[in-house]
Amino acid sequence: MPVIGSYAGIVFEINDLKNVTYSDFKRETTPRWDTHDILQNKPLPEFRGPGVDEISLQIKFRADFGVDPEKEMAKLREFARKGHTSLFVRGNQPISVNHWVITKATEVHKVIDNKGNVISMDVELTLMEYPKSDIQSSKKTIKPPQVKIASSNSSLKPIGKMIITVKSVHIRSGPGVNYKVLGYAFKGDTLTVYGEKNGWYSLGGGKYITASNKYSKFTKG
């Protein structure tokens, strides 16, 4: 089964080697309203604007599913403590244009082995929407890389360019779905391609993206 999605450096996927997914996903939308008292009449509501959405979800990390629970949880703790933001991706597209921050992370160590290793952990995350207009550059977001790649790959000869035709596509550290997600390319982005390997385009600088024509249009030259 392909990658389910990703958030905060955690890749949700189910395959022969690894099983990491989430459940009980809940999203709350709370618009901002003020109420003004009216003499001898009912109060008058006034719409102030949209509020920030909140998300809660459950994640299970299990060693027998090919995951190191403590290592994965350490990623989430660092992400939360440093105030990082990230898109929440499901399938091949973010669930919103805005990023999300972790406001609370609760971990329950369900099973410990005889050496003190955590082999099963339940995690509950609470996320808060971070409006796009306020987002600074984030290490989890990769902007159209043609300028950066050209500067670090001046000795490589491009074989063509690709244009992303879907909402978003993973950019990975190697030519395959088991490699780490480095970021995303978004619809309309034009990327310089330096090679092709096993159905994956090389973007240079150790970055790869699927060569499937379901997600992009490639032009030689």
Side-chain angles (χ1 to χ4, degrees):
M1 184 175 177
V3 171
I4 298 169
S6 60
Y7 175 72
I10 304 298
V11 178
F12 303 113
E13 57 186 320
I14 300 176
N15 54 50
D16 293 338
L17 301 176
K18 189 176 181 181
N19 184 333
V20 181
T21 186
Y22 59 86
S23 61
D24 299 322
F25 181 99
K26 182 173 72 173
R27 180 171 178 174
E28 294 185 355
T29 300
T30 309
R32 293 180 293 126
W33 288 87
D34 280 347
T35 302
H36 302 283
D37 289 336
I38 305 296
L39 185 63
Q40 297 182 348
N41 209 331
K42 291 184 177 182
L44 179 65
E46 179 185 10
F47 181 63
R48 297 294 302 276
V52 291
D53 287 7
E54 288 192 353
I55 287 174
S56 62
L57 67 152
Q58 306 277 344
I59 306 174
K60 291 184 180 293
F61 293 135
R62 292 180 53 177
D64 55 342
F65 285 172
V67 178
D68 183 336
E70 294 182 274
K71 183 178 179 180
E72 296 300 293
M73 189 61 210
K75 293 179 186 177
L76 293 174
R77 282 196 216 101
E78 181 180 19
F79 186 92
R81 288 171 177 169
K82 292 187 176 180
H84 290 318
T85 74
S86 174
L87 291 169
F88 193 109
V89 176
R90 183 164 55 204
N92 276 321
Q93 55 187 350
I95 61 172
S96 73
V97 297
N98 292 329
H99 284 212
W100 299 83
V101 299
I102 298 176
T103 58
K104 186 177 181 180
T106 304
E107 58 191 272
V108 179
H109 298 188
K110 303 288 287 186
V111 182
I112 313 293
D113 69 10
N114 58 6
K115 295 182 179 179
N117 299 311
V118 181
I119 59 176
S120 179
M121 182 188 297
D122 289 352
V123 178
E124 181 178 353
L125 294 182
T126 302
L127 314 180
M128 181 173 64
E129 188 178 17
Y130 193 85
K132 185 177 180 181
S133 59
D134 295 329
I135 291 176
Q136 305 297 321
S137 59
S138 167
K139 69 176 184 179
K140 296 301 180 184
T141 303
I142 293 183
K143 296 181 180 180
Q146 54 267 37
V147 175
K148 290 184 179 180
I149 289 176
S151 62
S152 60
N153 298 279
S154 56
S155 62
L156 298 178
K157 183 179 179 180
I159 65 170
K161 291 185 179 294
M162 63 183 297
I163 299 177
I164 304 302
T165 57
V166 295
K167 192 168 185 178
S168 69
V169 184
H170 289 100
I171 294 177
R172 296 183 177 271
S173 61
V177 296
N178 291 325
Y179 287 90
K180 181 180 179 181
V181 175
L182 299 177
Y184 310 92
F186 297 97
K187 187 173 183 178
D189 286 353
T190 299
L191 311 179
T192 301
V193 177
Y194 292 91
E196 190 272 338
K197 181 179 181 181
N198 299 329
W200 290 76
Y201 289 136
S202 170
L203 303 178
K207 301 179 181 69
Y208 293 83
I209 192 169
T210 178
S212 173
N213 58 15
K214 294 180 180 179
Y215 309 114
S216 62
K217 180 181 180 181
F218 177 75
T219 303
K220 292 183 179 180

